[in-house]
Amino acid sequence: MNTQSRRFKVVDHLLLAGAILPFLAVMVLKVLTAPPTEGIEISGALIFFTIPLPMGGLPITEAQTNSAAVILSILFLCLYLTHGLTAKGGLKRQLVAEWIVEKCDGMVRTNMGEYFMGFAPFIAGILGLSALSSLSSLLGLFPPTSDMNIVAGWAILVFALITYYKFKAGPVHYLKSFAEPVPFLLPMNLISEVATPVSMAFRHYGNILSGSIISVLLAAAFAGLSNLLLGWLPGVLGEFPFLRIGVPAVLSLYFDIFSGALQAFIFATLTMMYVSGGFPQALFEARKAKRAAKKKAKQVNAAQAE
């Protein structure tokens, strides 16, 4: 093995470690800081400490640390997948990276059109961040998508993008759009504008949180049912929750895996639909052409004056 290939493998191992260590760190942090509980308990994100601020304290919670761990993990995973890319290919990781890029490009092209192809990395980031945040519950962590503050932050960012592209045709057109198709719908259009980020946040947050709660309740129910039906067995056998073996794990395939991946896809799809649907491309192109014509006319007049 030459020095170059040895260095390549060392970098590979460091990048993989960078993708795994953030999750291990938050798992250790949870073990060291989680308060003792008896039985099954449903609670929100654990607050580690609060930073005092003039307008109130800023709590640093389990949701924030876990979200940071997901972001770092995605960063190092992307660095690993793109390490050693060549024009000829040959590495399996390159095939995975190209597949991800092709799928995200296809989603953006289908739902948004060629004009928005630059959105593909953003959509890929939303999909990865949302999916891994929800799937972190499989490691016993508090999923960041179960915290309204995290998901609301994503929705506000998407709302800012929607408003930005609506302004592309000019502020006058943006304000006039609230009175369409008839002026008396102005209050409803204003409510609809504000309801967009609210509905996106609550839909994502509600589905993930409800799935986690249902999983915990089912586990508790199976434990109680096992004690009711098999509690007559002698000794340890009567206390062992036999009915909790396997069945909650099968249900977790839907509530934790399928539902988490599905909500990530829905959030990304709604982002693409709202951004592209709110962009008046025809008016924007006409406005752009009009500006270009005015600029060209000014240049011609200036040249004639000289």
Side-chain angles (χ1 to χ4, degrees):
M1 182 184 296
N2 55 38
T3 305
Q4 186 176 1
S5 60
R6 187 181 297 111
R7 187 183 298 114
F8 185 87
K9 288 191 174 183
V10 169
V11 173
D12 267 0
H13 292 153
L14 290 176
L15 293 176
L16 284 175
I20 297 173
L21 287 177
F23 283 112
L24 293 178
V26 292
M27 290 170 68
V28 172
L29 183 64
K30 182 179 180 65
V31 171
L32 295 177
T33 58
T37 58
E38 294 183 4
I40 296 176
E41 181 178 335
I42 300 175
S43 60
L46 179 67
I47 299 177
F48 296 120
F49 58 92
T50 301
I51 301 176
L53 295 175
M55 299 299 293
L58 174 63
I60 303 301
T61 69
E62 190 178 7
Q64 293 169 310
T65 57
N66 292 354
S67 183
V70 171
I71 293 173
L72 288 174
S73 181
I74 291 175
L75 170 63
F76 282 102
L77 184 60
C78 290
L79 293 175
Y80 172 76
L81 292 176
T82 56
H83 181 226
L85 294 184
T86 61
K88 295 182 179 179
L91 294 175
K92 292 182 179 180
R93 78 184 71 173
Q94 183 166 343
L95 297 177
V96 175
E98 291 175 352
W99 180 82
I100 294 173
V101 171
E102 289 175 0
K103 291 299 180 182
C104 290
D105 283 347
M107 286 179 60
V108 173
R109 184 176 289 107
T110 301
N111 293 283
M112 304 184 77
E114 292 292 336
Y115 181 85
F116 290 96
M117 286 307 298
F119 260 73
F122 179 72
I123 297 302
I126 287 180
L127 283 169
L129 182 59
S130 176
L132 284 184
S133 295
S134 299
L135 294 176
S136 63
S137 62
L138 297 175
L139 300 176
L141 300 173
F142 180 86
T145 43
S146 291
D147 191 317
M148 186 62 188
N149 299 296
I150 299 293
V151 184
W154 302 351
I156 291 173
L157 174 59
V158 172
F159 178 69
L161 289 172
I162 296 170
T163 306
Y164 170 76
Y165 279 97
K166 284 185 176 181
F167 262 95
K168 281 280 191 176
V172 175
H173 174 268
Y174 175 72
L175 294 176
K176 285 175 61 178
S177 65
F178 290 107
E180 295 176 352
V182 287
F184 70 83
L185 289 179
L186 175 63
M188 297 299 295
N189 288 333
L190 289 173
I191 294 174
S192 176
E193 191 78 0
V194 178
T196 297
V198 175
S199 64
M200 291 182 69
F202 274 98
R203 180 185 291 110
H204 199 316
Y205 159 78
N207 280 283
I208 299 301
L209 180 63
S210 62
S212 301
I213 293 176
I214 290 173
S215 296
V216 172
L217 292 178
L218 286 174
F222 279 117
L225 184 61
S226 178
N227 182 61
L228 179 64
L229 297 179
L230 304 175
W232 54 270
L233 294 175
V236 180
L237 294 177
E239 300 176 359
F240 190 83
F242 287 97
L243 297 183
R244 285 183 61 183
I245 300 176
V247 179
V250 173
L251 295 174
S252 177
L253 292 176
Y254 174 78
F255 292 114
D256 293 328
I257 299 178
F258 176 75
S259 180
L262 178 63
Q263 293 307 316
F265 176 77
I266 291 174
F267 193 89
T269 302
L270 290 176
T271 298
M272 292 186 286
M273 292 176 59
Y274 285 138
V275 172
S276 60
F279 176 52
Q281 187 169 356
L283 293 175
F284 171 72
E285 296 294 344
R287 190 168 182 244
K288 186 177 178 182
K290 188 177 180 180
R291 284 184 174 180
K294 285 184 178 180
K295 185 177 181 181
K296 187 176 181 180
K298 287 183 180 180
Q299 292 175 348
V300 171
N301 292 335
Q304 290 176 352
E306 293 177 357

